Each structure stands twice: as structure tokens, then as C-alpha cells.
Amino acid sequence: MADLVFAFDAALDHPLPVPEAAPPDVAATMSRAAAAALDEAAGIAAAEQAAALVLCGRLLDPHRASPAQAAHLRTLVVGLADRGCRTVVVAEDADACHELSRMLGEPRGLLFVTPAAPLSFDVRGLAVEIASAHGHVTAAATAVAGGPAPLHRRVVIGWDTAHWTPERRTDL
């Protein structure tokens, strides 16, 4: 049984480039790969009755994403909420949270973590805190006087963004 399921760098608005000579079935698989991987993670979270699906890294750029990509993510979030599973997005800042929330129509079950705002919730009677390791406010935001309370767990999430350059995606 998984209590938390993590998915990284779905980048729904950055589909894999499909070679022109690719057979149609290969092209279809490649163009749907990012969404299919996220759907699989959501399916595991639902099947395992997880408390949350935690999304890290790039997800949807509100300046680039299509309405269909936003609708797909909204359907996933609402579907998980119907099963009692939260969708937690680890974002860079509060502005990114507001943009994504507005783009998805503020669906129920969508929660955010930023460097300045960790998230705490109950997972089968255990207090769990998810904190972001990005930004300058991380240490102050996640510090707890006297240490964590009994039956409390903290998950600190971070990732390397060194290869996330605009140049890498400009030829698509």
C-alpha cells in the first residue's frame, strides 16, 4: 500500500519530439508519453488508495499549455479527489500556484507546496509535512521549534534544474 505516490517532471506542455519518419503507432505513443506516464502514476495512487499524488518538477506552463492539456490535468485531479486522494503540486512560488489553480479552474483536491509554505496533512493517523527544498526561505519555513512532534513525518522535496534551459526546448 502506497500512502504517497510521487511523479516527476510530467511537462505535459512539452511533448516528446516525434521523428518525421516514425510509423504512426510509434508517433502516437511518443506524442502521448508524458500524459500516459502521469495517468499511470494517478492510476497507481487511486489503486493503492494513496493519500496524495505529489507532482514535482515541470507540470504545465500557463503561457504555453493548451486548453486540452489543462482539461486533462483537471480531470486527473478531480478523479483522484473523488477517491479521497489529494493532488499536491510542489511549485517554485505562490504565483505559480495561483496561475496553475486558475488555469485548472480551482479543482477540489488540488494543494500546493512552495519554499515559503510547506503543507501538512493527515495520512492514516500520521501527520505528514511536505516541504520544498527550493528557494531561500526553505530553512526558516520548515524549521520546527523542538523538532517534529511524535508520529510526525517530514518529506523534503528538491530536484536538480541544471538542464532546464529554454534553449533545450526552443527547437520543438
Side-chain angles (χ1 to χ4, degrees):
M1 176 180 286
D3 291 327
L4 300 173
V5 175
F6 294 86
F8 178 74
D9 203 19
L12 295 174
D13 55 328
H14 291 289
L16 295 173
V18 178
E20 289 181 25
D25 56 336
V26 172
T29 299
M30 288 181 70
S31 65
R32 174 109 175 86
L38 184 57
D39 289 346
E40 181 68 20
I44 290 169
E48 295 291 326
Q49 299 176 343
L53 171 64
V54 182
L55 304 176
C56 312
R58 294 174 298 183
L59 185 57
L60 273 181
D61 179 347
H63 304 291
R64 175 185 166 99
S66 73
Q69 291 163 336
H72 178 241
L73 183 57
R74 178 186 170 80
T75 300
L76 183 142
V77 170
V78 171
L80 287 173
D82 288 345
R83 294 172 168 253
C85 181
R86 303 162 184 93
T87 302
V88 178
V89 175
V90 182
E92 293 294 321
D93 55 33
D95 290 340
C97 299
H98 295 301
E99 287 179 354
L100 183 61
S101 185
R102 279 193 305 264
M103 185 167 68
L104 300 182
E106 300 180 0
R108 69 185 184 291
L110 181 63
L111 304 170
F112 293 96
V113 171
T114 67
L119 174 69
S120 295
F121 56 95
D122 182 77
V123 177
R124 303 187 211 290
L126 179 68
V128 173
E129 176 186 22
I130 298 177
S132 173
H134 291 283
H136 300 293
V137 296
T138 304
T142 60
V144 176
L151 299 178
H152 178 271
R153 299 294 180 262
R154 180 179 296 137
V155 179
V156 180
I157 298 173
W159 56 87
D160 181 8
T161 60
H163 295 291
W164 290 6
T165 61
E167 296 81 27
R168 188 170 160 224
R169 299 289 185 180
T170 56
D171 61 344
L172 297 179

